[in-house]
Structures are given as structure tokens and as C-alpha cells.
Amino acid sequence: MVFDIATLLNQWESIGVFDFVLPFLLIFSFVFGILTATNILGKNKGVHIIIALVIGLMALRLPFVSDFFTQVFPRTAIAISIILVAVILTAVFIPKEHWGGWAIGFYSLGGIAAILVIFNSFNAMNYFGSTWWSDWGGMIIGALLLVGVIIAVAV
């Protein structure tokens, strides 16, 4: 019997690992990490675990949560990959003394990518209820990039 990764991932998808288990673990770890780091409720980790557990389970009651995670994380991975390739190519071809200005550009690119990922994730779930972004999004991004390049050249 041949068993490959694709079969394993399909089995996990069919039993709900991607829709329930992974979103729960992500929400639980974020809430637990925030509660532990801030010590807003004291240093009792048992209280932190119970609160994170309740918030993680309550968040899964809405199908919106798993739908959003299904949309946002693949887009985030693509955005990070694109920025990583740009950073690697910049590091290879730009002298080290010029990296400071490029870093500001990459931070800006990361912020724009984050906004686009979130906006497109909501748009894919028909949260906005219109096709406005699909009609005009490319034009807006192109105009913002043009303005950014003009500002970068001027500075």
C-alpha cells in the first residue's frame, strides 16, 4: 500500500483538522500567549489555560472563523514568499551600505501586503457584497505603487 502526503492531508481535511483543530490551536496559543505575557489576570497559568480554551472553543462556533482562516493563511504565505524573494534578491545585488532605505521600502511593502491579504480574504468570502475591489483594485494598487516609486526616487 502506497501512502503519500497528499492522502494524509486529504484525510485530515475530511475529518476537520484544517477547519477546527488548527484554528482552535492558533486561537488558543495566541490568547494564552497574550495572557501569559501581560499577566493581566495574575501569574496563574491554569486560569490562562481555561480562558484560552474557552475563547478558542467559542470562536469555532461561528463558521466565519474557519472560513476566514481558510482564506487568509494561503494568501499570507504567498505574500510572505513574494517579499522574501524580493529581500533575497536585494541582499544579493544591493551593497550592504544601501540596505537601510530598502528596509523601509520592504516594511512598507509588508504593510501593503497585509492590508491586501486581509481585504482580499474578506472579499473572497463575499463579506463586502460587491465586485468593486475586483473592478478597481488593480488600478488603485498601480496608482499607489506609482506614487510610492515617485516618492522613493524624490527622496
mmCIF file of all heavy atoms in Angstrom, residues 30-54:
data_model
loop_
_atom_site.group_PDB
_atom_site.id
_atom_site.type_symbol
_atom_site.label_atom_id
_atom_site.label_comp_id
_atom_site.label_asym_id
_atom_site.label_seq_id
_atom_site.Cartn_x
_atom_site.Cartn_y
_atom_site.Cartn_z
ATOM 1 N N PHE A 30 -2.535 32.029 20.734
ATOM 2 C CA PHE A 30 -2.470 33.486 20.774
ATOM 3 C C PHE A 30 -3.020 34.027 22.088
ATOM 4 O O PHE A 30 -2.399 34.869 22.738
ATOM 5 C CB PHE A 30 -3.244 34.107 19.608
ATOM 6 C CG PHE A 30 -2.471 34.163 18.321
ATOM 7 C CD1 PHE A 30 -3.147 34.147 17.114
ATOM 8 C CD2 PHE A 30 -1.106 34.244 18.293
ATOM 9 C CE1 PHE A 30 -2.459 34.202 15.918
ATOM 10 C CE2 PHE A 30 -0.400 34.289 17.110
ATOM 11 C CZ PHE A 30 -1.088 34.273 15.924
ATOM 12 N N VAL A 31 -4.204 33.568 22.469
ATOM 13 C CA VAL A 31 -4.821 34.068 23.705
ATOM 14 C C VAL A 31 -3.970 33.688 24.906
ATOM 15 O O VAL A 31 -3.719 34.523 25.783
ATOM 16 C CB VAL A 31 -6.268 33.533 23.840
ATOM 17 C CG1 VAL A 31 -6.847 33.882 25.196
ATOM 18 C CG2 VAL A 31 -7.143 34.090 22.733
ATOM 19 N N PHE A 32 -3.503 32.447 24.966
ATOM 20 C CA PHE A 32 -2.672 32.013 26.083
ATOM 21 C C PHE A 32 -1.374 32.818 26.137
ATOM 22 O O PHE A 32 -0.936 33.253 27.206
ATOM 23 C CB PHE A 32 -2.365 30.520 25.978
ATOM 24 C CG PHE A 32 -1.530 30.005 27.107
ATOM 25 C CD1 PHE A 32 -2.095 29.802 28.357
ATOM 26 C CD2 PHE A 32 -0.187 29.731 26.921
ATOM 27 C CE1 PHE A 32 -1.324 29.336 29.409
ATOM 28 C CE2 PHE A 32 0.587 29.259 27.962
ATOM 29 C CZ PHE A 32 0.017 29.064 29.211
ATOM 30 N N GLY A 33 -0.752 33.044 24.987
ATOM 31 C CA GLY A 33 0.482 33.831 24.943
ATOM 32 C C GLY A 33 0.276 35.263 25.400
ATOM 33 O O GLY A 33 1.096 35.811 26.141
ATOM 34 N N ILE A 34 -0.828 35.867 24.982
ATOM 35 C CA ILE A 34 -1.109 37.249 25.399
ATOM 36 C C ILE A 34 -1.381 37.312 26.892
ATOM 37 O O ILE A 34 -0.871 38.198 27.601
ATOM 38 C CB ILE A 34 -2.293 37.814 24.584
ATOM 39 C CG1 ILE A 34 -1.869 38.036 23.136
ATOM 40 C CG2 ILE A 34 -2.805 39.107 25.195
ATOM 41 C CD1 ILE A 34 -3.007 38.331 22.183
ATOM 42 N N LEU A 35 -2.178 36.379 27.406
ATOM 43 C CA LEU A 35 -2.470 36.368 28.836
ATOM 44 C C LEU A 35 -1.214 36.119 29.668
ATOM 45 O O LEU A 35 -1.026 36.724 30.724
ATOM 46 C CB LEU A 35 -3.527 35.308 29.159
ATOM 47 C CG LEU A 35 -4.950 35.601 28.670
ATOM 48 C CD1 LEU A 35 -5.848 34.402 28.928
ATOM 49 C CD2 LEU A 35 -5.503 36.841 29.336
ATOM 50 N N THR A 36 -0.358 35.238 29.204
ATOM 51 C CA THR A 36 0.864 34.933 29.946
ATOM 52 C C THR A 36 1.855 36.090 29.879
ATOM 53 O O THR A 36 2.499 36.417 30.874
ATOM 54 C CB THR A 36 1.513 33.652 29.382
ATOM 55 O OG1 THR A 36 0.555 32.590 29.447
ATOM 56 C CG2 THR A 36 2.734 33.253 30.170
ATOM 57 N N ALA A 37 1.977 36.717 28.724
ATOM 58 C CA ALA A 37 2.941 37.803 28.572
ATOM 59 C C ALA A 37 2.521 39.057 29.334
ATOM 60 O O ALA A 37 3.365 39.752 29.897
ATOM 61 C CB ALA A 37 3.131 38.134 27.092
ATOM 62 N N THR A 38 1.229 39.343 29.357
ATOM 63 C CA THR A 38 0.780 40.572 30.014
ATOM 64 C C THR A 38 0.524 40.396 31.499
ATOM 65 O O THR A 38 0.528 41.380 32.232
ATOM 66 C CB THR A 38 -0.516 41.090 29.351
ATOM 67 O OG1 THR A 38 -1.537 40.103 29.477
ATOM 68 C CG2 THR A 38 -0.268 41.462 27.910
ATOM 69 N N ASN A 39 0.283 39.174 31.943
ATOM 70 C CA ASN A 39 -0.058 38.888 33.345
ATOM 71 C C ASN A 39 -1.228 39.739 33.830
ATOM 72 O O ASN A 39 -1.267 40.170 34.976
ATOM 73 C CB ASN A 39 1.153 39.088 34.267
ATOM 74 C CG ASN A 39 2.130 37.961 34.149
ATOM 75 O OD1 ASN A 39 1.750 36.816 33.930
ATOM 76 N ND2 ASN A 39 3.409 38.285 34.278
ATOM 77 N N ILE A 40 -2.165 39.993 32.935
ATOM 78 C CA ILE A 40 -3.305 40.831 33.268
ATOM 79 C C ILE A 40 -4.215 40.177 34.308
ATOM 80 O O ILE A 40 -4.873 40.861 35.083
ATOM 81 C CB ILE A 40 -4.088 41.211 31.988
ATOM 82 C CG1 ILE A 40 -5.020 42.367 32.263
ATOM 83 C CG2 ILE A 40 -4.838 40.028 31.437
ATOM 84 C CD1 ILE A 40 -5.555 43.019 31.029
ATOM 85 N N LEU A 41 -4.219 38.850 34.354
ATOM 86 C CA LEU A 41 -5.032 38.119 35.322
ATOM 87 C C LEU A 41 -4.171 37.419 36.365
ATOM 88 O O LEU A 41 -4.598 36.440 36.975
ATOM 89 C CB LEU A 41 -5.919 37.099 34.602
ATOM 90 C CG LEU A 41 -6.903 37.687 33.603
ATOM 91 C CD1 LEU A 41 -7.597 36.593 32.823
ATOM 92 C CD2 LEU A 41 -7.925 38.555 34.314
ATOM 93 N N GLY A 42 -2.958 37.875 36.555
ATOM 94 C CA GLY A 42 -2.058 37.246 37.505
ATOM 95 C C GLY A 42 -1.159 36.242 36.814
ATOM 96 O O GLY A 42 -1.139 36.127 35.594
ATOM 97 N N LYS A 43 -0.425 35.495 37.619
ATOM 98 C CA LYS A 43 0.540 34.555 37.062
ATOM 99 C C LYS A 43 0.050 33.117 37.111
ATOM 100 O O LYS A 43 0.825 32.200 36.886
ATOM 101 C CB LYS A 43 1.866 34.676 37.806
ATOM 102 C CG LYS A 43 2.528 36.011 37.586
ATOM 103 C CD LYS A 43 3.909 36.056 38.168
ATOM 104 C CE LYS A 43 4.511 37.433 37.880
ATOM 105 N NZ LYS A 43 5.921 37.492 38.063
ATOM 106 N N ASN A 44 -1.212 32.898 37.370
ATOM 107 C CA ASN A 44 -1.772 31.556 37.450
ATOM 108 C C ASN A 44 -2.016 31.019 36.034
ATOM 109 O O ASN A 44 -2.959 31.422 35.357
ATOM 110 C CB ASN A 44 -3.071 31.577 38.255
ATOM 111 C CG ASN A 44 -3.603 30.194 38.537
ATOM 112 O OD1 ASN A 44 -3.158 29.211 37.945
ATOM 113 N ND2 ASN A 44 -4.556 30.121 39.434
ATOM 114 N N LYS A 45 -1.165 30.096 35.593
ATOM 115 C CA LYS A 45 -1.281 29.576 34.229
ATOM 116 C C LYS A 45 -2.536 28.744 34.032
ATOM 117 O O LYS A 45 -3.035 28.624 32.926
ATOM 118 C CB LYS A 45 -0.039 28.764 33.872
ATOM 119 C CG LYS A 45 1.181 29.644 33.724
ATOM 120 C CD LYS A 45 2.226 28.960 32.892
ATOM 121 C CE LYS A 45 3.506 29.742 32.897
ATOM 122 N NZ LYS A 45 3.639 30.673 31.844
ATOM 123 N N GLY A 46 -3.068 28.168 35.100
ATOM 124 C CA GLY A 46 -4.308 27.403 34.996
ATOM 125 C C GLY A 46 -5.462 28.285 34.550
ATOM 126 O O GLY A 46 -6.280 27.886 33.712
ATOM 127 N N VAL A 47 -5.524 29.493 35.089
ATOM 128 C CA VAL A 47 -6.560 30.449 34.687
ATOM 129 C C VAL A 47 -6.355 30.838 33.232
ATOM 130 O O VAL A 47 -7.314 30.921 32.454
ATOM 131 C CB VAL A 47 -6.544 31.692 35.611
ATOM 132 C CG1 VAL A 47 -7.463 32.780 35.093
ATOM 133 C CG2 VAL A 47 -6.900 31.309 37.029
ATOM 134 N N HIS A 48 -5.109 31.061 32.843
ATOM 135 C CA HIS A 48 -4.809 31.421 31.453
ATOM 136 C C HIS A 48 -5.236 30.306 30.497
ATOM 137 O O HIS A 48 -5.797 30.567 29.431
ATOM 138 C CB HIS A 48 -3.320 31.710 31.271
ATOM 139 C CG HIS A 48 -2.832 32.872 32.080
ATOM 140 N ND1 HIS A 48 -1.502 33.129 32.264
ATOM 141 C CD2 HIS A 48 -3.482 33.839 32.759
ATOM 142 C CE1 HIS A 48 -1.352 34.200 33.004
ATOM 143 N NE2 HIS A 48 -2.551 34.646 33.322
ATOM 144 N N ILE A 49 -4.975 29.061 30.880
ATOM 145 C CA ILE A 49 -5.336 27.923 30.025
ATOM 146 C C ILE A 49 -6.850 27.818 29.885
ATOM 147 O O ILE A 49 -7.366 27.619 28.776
ATOM 148 C CB ILE A 49 -4.745 26.615 30.597
ATOM 149 C CG1 ILE A 49 -3.234 26.612 30.393
ATOM 150 C CG2 ILE A 49 -5.362 25.396 29.927
ATOM 151 C CD1 ILE A 49 -2.514 25.469 31.083
ATOM 152 N N ILE A 50 -7.570 27.973 30.981
ATOM 153 C CA ILE A 50 -9.027 27.859 30.914
ATOM 154 C C ILE A 50 -9.627 28.965 30.058
ATOM 155 O O ILE A 50 -10.490 28.710 29.205
ATOM 156 C CB ILE A 50 -9.634 27.870 32.336
ATOM 157 C CG1 ILE A 50 -9.269 26.568 33.040
ATOM 158 C CG2 ILE A 50 -11.142 28.055 32.288
ATOM 159 C CD1 ILE A 50 -9.636 26.533 34.502
ATOM 160 N N ILE A 51 -9.153 30.183 30.231
ATOM 161 C CA ILE A 51 -9.675 31.298 29.436
ATOM 162 C C ILE A 51 -9.335 31.113 27.961
ATOM 163 O O ILE A 51 -10.184 31.309 27.079
ATOM 164 C CB ILE A 51 -9.145 32.639 29.983
ATOM 165 C CG1 ILE A 51 -9.757 32.901 31.353
ATOM 166 C CG2 ILE A 51 -9.442 33.781 29.016
ATOM 167 C CD1 ILE A 51 -9.174 34.081 32.072
ATOM 168 N N ALA A 52 -8.112 30.717 27.654
ATOM 169 C CA ALA A 52 -7.719 30.499 26.255
ATOM 170 C C ALA A 52 -8.515 29.346 25.650
ATOM 171 O O ALA A 52 -8.918 29.410 24.481
ATOM 172 C CB ALA A 52 -6.217 30.219 26.169
ATOM 173 N N LEU A 53 -8.763 28.309 26.435
ATOM 174 C CA LEU A 53 -9.555 27.176 25.962
ATOM 175 C C LEU A 53 -10.980 27.599 25.636
ATOM 176 O O LEU A 53 -11.518 27.264 24.575
ATOM 177 C CB LEU A 53 -9.552 26.072 27.026
ATOM 178 C CG LEU A 53 -10.275 24.784 26.698
ATOM 179 C CD1 LEU A 53 -9.529 24.043 25.616
ATOM 180 C CD2 LEU A 53 -10.383 23.918 27.943
ATOM 181 N N VAL A 54 -11.584 28.373 26.527
ATOM 182 C CA VAL A 54 -12.963 28.832 26.305
ATOM 183 C C VAL A 54 -13.039 29.742 25.084
ATOM 184 O O VAL A 54 -13.925 29.587 24.231
ATOM 185 C CB VAL A 54 -13.506 29.540 27.570
ATOM 186 C CG1 VAL A 54 -14.797 30.264 27.276
ATOM 187 C CG2 VAL A 54 -13.680 28.540 28.693
#
